Amino acid sequence: GLRIGVLALQGDFREHLHAIELTGAEAVGIRRPEELDGLDGLVIPGGESTAIDKLARAFDLAEPLKERIAGGLPVYGSCAGMILLASDIADPATDLAGAPQQTFGGLDITVRRNAFGRQRESFETDLEFKGLDFSATENGVPPVHAVFIRGPWVERVGTGVEILAQVEPADPDHASHAVPLPGTARIVAVRSGHLLATSFHPEVTGEKRIHELFIRMIRGEA
Ligand code: GLN
């Protein structure tokens, strides 16, 4: 069977460990560099990207992680995990010494943190999500019910980065729309080769298909 690590420094790693177990794979919390050995994939959870960044550097995990990601280790990042996989942050936080937060990189995207604004920091909406055909019913592919908690969006995608889901702008005729976005759709899920990232948290809703997609990517089935 597959052995999937979940970076367990901060954030909602327990929910991801559970979501991975539901796919039938073995799930292991990762806190030390040597625990990266023998993994078939890794999940970077939601939480606080600045905290995970600092702890990863303090525990000497950041450099080995960067090397593994660059070397082809499949990684799925949700929310803070998406930020940590991004090559660029539009609005990086700085610490008290003025040093900007760092990422592990690997995904050629620019993210904006806490992008959906203060009034609507957290919201839920249904998304069309590409690549979930394996879950199709006679009515097509059921939408993904997505929970956003101070999530980022993707402002730029580089070459080879596929857009899997977007939050559509508000329709004035549907005042109940969860997100009053002006103008254009916002990218909230992407894939590039062995890397998958979502702005939202499938691990908190019982939505199993995103983790299943990740397992299929690892198996070469997606
Ligand atoms: N806003 C957080 C960050 O910048 C992400 C929030 C989350 O993971 N739910 O890291």
Side-chain angles (χ1 to χ4, degrees):
L2 294 179
R3 185 177 163 86
I4 309 296
V6 178
L7 192 61
L9 300 174
Q10 190 269 341
D12 73 339
F13 53 88
R14 289 176 197 82
E15 287 80 354
H16 278 286
L17 287 166
H18 182 63
I20 291 294
E21 279 164 5
L22 290 178
T23 70
E26 184 191 351
V28 284
I30 304 296
R31 293 186 181 82
R32 291 195 300 259
E34 57 271 25
E35 292 168 339
L36 291 169
D37 292 337
L39 293 182
D40 296 301
L42 178 75
V43 174
I44 306 178
E48 177 48 51
S49 56
T50 54
I52 297 174
D53 161 37
K54 275 191 192 148
L55 290 167
R57 283 189 273 150
F59 293 0
D60 293 323
L61 263 164
E63 286 308 317
L65 255 172
K66 282 182 205 173
E67 282 164 25
R68 307 244 173 181
I69 295 169
L73 177 69
V75 184
Y76 165 43
S78 77
C79 203
M82 170 190 264
I83 296 168
L84 285 156
L85 282 177
S87 56
D88 301 280
I89 305 179
D91 54 344
T94 48
D95 67 15
L96 292 174
Q101 70 179 113
Q102 297 178 27
T103 70
F104 308 131
L107 258 181
D108 182 13
I109 59 174
T110 302
V111 294
R112 182 171 294 278
R113 300 177 63 222
N114 307 318
F116 290 92
R118 281 181 178 276
Q119 296 86 342
R120 295 282 185 162
E121 279 191 330
S122 302
F123 64 95
E124 304 183 15
T125 192
D126 284 340
L127 297 174
E128 269 179 52
F129 197 107
K130 274 189 212 162
L132 300 184
D133 324 33
F134 60 86
S135 70
T137 68
E138 60 202 17
N139 299 317
V141 178
V144 168
H145 186 69
V147 171
F148 292 80
I149 307 167
R150 293 182 292 283
W153 68 41
V154 178
E155 290 201 346
R156 178 194 62 85
V157 292
T159 316
V161 179
E162 186 188 3
I163 296 168
L164 300 183
Q166 309 191 56
V167 172
E168 299 300 330
D171 177 347
D173 295 334
H174 292 86
S176 66
H177 194 291
V179 209
L181 292 175
T184 157
R186 308 300 184 182
I187 301 164
V188 293
V190 293
R191 174 181 178 180
S192 179
H194 61 294
L195 303 177
L196 175 70
T198 63
S199 305
F200 58 90
H201 293 270
E203 72 281 8
V204 304
T205 53
E207 170 61 73
K208 293 194 285 187
R209 291 173 295 168
I210 311 300
H211 291 83
E212 281 168 7
L213 171 65
F214 181 52
I215 297 292
R216 282 164 182 266
M217 285 170 51
I218 296 171
R219 291 210 174 104
E221 295 166 3

